[in-house]
Amino acid sequence: MRTVYVNGEYLPETEAKVSIFDRAFLMADGVYEVTSVLGGKLIDFDGHARRLARSLAELDMKAPCTEDELLAIHRELVARNEITDGLVYLQVTRGSAGDRDFAFPDPETTEPTLVLFTQNKPGLADNPAAKAGIKVISIEDIRWGRRDIKTVQLLYPSMAKMAAKKAGCDDAWFVEDGKVTEGSSNNAYIVKGGKIITRELSTDILHGITRAAVLRCAKEAQMEVEERSFSIDEAKEADEAFVTSASSFVMPVVEVDGAKVGTGTPGPVAARLREIYLEESLKAAV
Ligand code: PDD
């Protein structure tokens, strides 16, 4: 039985409650973050807290507490649930005004809802998929235009994941105007002639916290990085491909739409980046 956090209280998961009028339940009016835990410590916590603040500001949503309080809640949940390796899921919603209405409730009288829970994932950093690589399909990107805000509107990404499963693959890459935007829950990369290529930041993609850290590691290791969009055809002809996220770190992609990428096995650049990223982020973990 997990202990979860809801609006100031630590409760057994079966006793935690949120109103049926909560704006996230009725309108998907909520934002979230996923922070990984390795060796009992939080990876890239500052980055996730900063992005949460940005998501809230972009949606005129009130912050439920300070960053220091958020860190304390994360740590308390990790301790209470004895998490060595796993994830902390956090969600902030615009709260409940006690009825359904398209207009936002008055933030003076309606408090945001804050929920956090842990997911235990022993051996998270030793995921066998990192050795085998994953297979992706491409799918049209029909999500809304503010993908830089980490909202809980995840129906289409869930449908994309199901389409991938149905095709015998692991994940989907979204394509818009002939170019890859990102993965269903990760940022997408290819490697060609030693150069790491990933789409530039804009409102078209989520500004991945792992992306920022991995690109920093790549530059420190004198690897060449080019931030630009690429097509599925380019990915099929690349030497390597990979994705990054808080839950998968750096994950090699070995097949795109049925075509082998490079040798069809995880490449050296992805392996090296995964190693450096895990080493650096563990050192900085809180
Ligand atoms: N997903 N792009 C999308 C659409 C995402 O949902 C995510 C994260 C990322 C990577 O961001 P980061 O490196 O900050 O995790 C990119 C999380 C892990 C999820 O929804 O579970």
Side-chain angles (χ1 to χ4, degrees):
M1 170 87 78
R2 269 179 292 197
T3 296
V4 303
Y5 176 95
V6 184
N7 295 329
E9 285 188 286
Y10 293 92
L11 298 164
E13 61 185 39
T14 49
E15 284 169 35
K17 289 190 178 67
V18 173
S19 167
I20 62 159
F21 299 113
D22 193 278
R23 298 265 315 169
F25 183 61
L26 297 178
M27 307 280 185
D29 190 355
V31 298
Y32 76 107
E33 283 295 332
V34 176
T35 303
S36 62
V37 179
L38 290 177
K41 290 190 165 177
L42 297 157
I43 303 296
D44 287 332
F45 176 81
D46 279 353
H48 289 285
R50 249 179 281 129
R51 185 173 60 194
L52 174 68
R54 182 178 179 279
S55 293
L56 292 169
E58 291 296 312
L59 295 173
D60 280 330
M61 218 185 272
K62 198 153 87 179
C65 60
T66 66
E67 188 176 323
D68 284 348
E69 286 166 335
L70 270 189
L71 177 58
I73 300 166
H74 276 75
R75 284 178 160 160
E76 185 67 26
L77 277 184
V78 168
R80 287 194 190 211
N81 293 291
E82 297 176 5
I83 304 293
T84 304
D85 296 335
L87 304 169
V88 180
Y89 176 86
L90 167 157
Q91 183 169 326
V92 182
T93 86
R94 207 181 300 274
S96 160
D99 204 350
R100 181 173 182 268
D101 189 349
F102 280 80
F104 293 171
D106 181 353
E108 292 297 319
T109 51
T110 300
E111 288 303 311
T113 300
L114 175 61
V115 169
L116 287 93
F117 59 81
T118 53
Q119 291 182 293
N120 193 24
K121 308 251 179 208
L124 181 63
D126 304 316
N127 186 346
K131 294 238 157 41
I134 61 165
K135 297 175 182 177
V136 304
I137 59 162
S138 63
I139 190 167
E140 194 191 348
D141 197 340
I142 58 163
R143 296 173 301 162
W144 79 326
R146 289 303 306 273
R147 303 158 193 157
D148 56 314
I149 308 173
K150 200 165 171 59
T151 76
V152 298
Q153 303 173 89
L154 296 175
L155 181 55
Y156 190 64
S158 295
M159 290 167 71
K161 196 82 162 181
M162 294 311 291
K165 277 192 171 199
K166 203 172 163 197
C169 293
D170 307 287
D171 206 355
W173 278 9
F174 293 131
V175 175
E176 186 173 56
D177 299 329
K179 297 286 165 62
V180 174
T181 50
E182 59 189 331
S184 70
S185 61
N186 42 57
N187 290 114
Y189 306 72
I190 55 170
V191 180
K192 186 75 182 175
K195 196 189 287 178
I196 299 160
I197 300 161
T198 193
R199 195 179 175 105
E200 70 281 3
L201 296 181
S202 70
T203 50
D204 295 338
I205 62 167
L206 187 74
H207 301 185
I209 303 306
T210 319
R211 177 190 184 280
V214 163
L215 292 188
R216 207 164 49 235
C217 290
K219 285 169 190 165
E220 276 168 21
Q222 318 291 331
M223 293 169 161
E224 204 184 335
V225 174
E226 191 179 353
E227 293 184 58
R228 64 159 174 90
S229 56
F230 57 86
S231 66
I232 287 291
D233 280 347
E234 216 181 332
K236 286 178 177 172
E237 280 155 27
D239 302 325
E240 291 184 40
F242 61 93
V243 294
T244 65
S245 76
S247 50
S248 68
F249 311 116
V250 177
M251 183 61 67
V253 171
V254 294
E255 204 179 287
V256 176
D257 279 344
K260 278 190 170 72
V261 179
T263 59
T265 56
V269 174
R272 178 93 185 100
L273 277 176
R274 183 178 173 91
E275 191 182 298
I276 310 175
Y277 170 72
L278 282 171
E279 195 182 302
E280 291 297 311
S281 55
L282 267 170
K283 263 193 249 166
V286 297

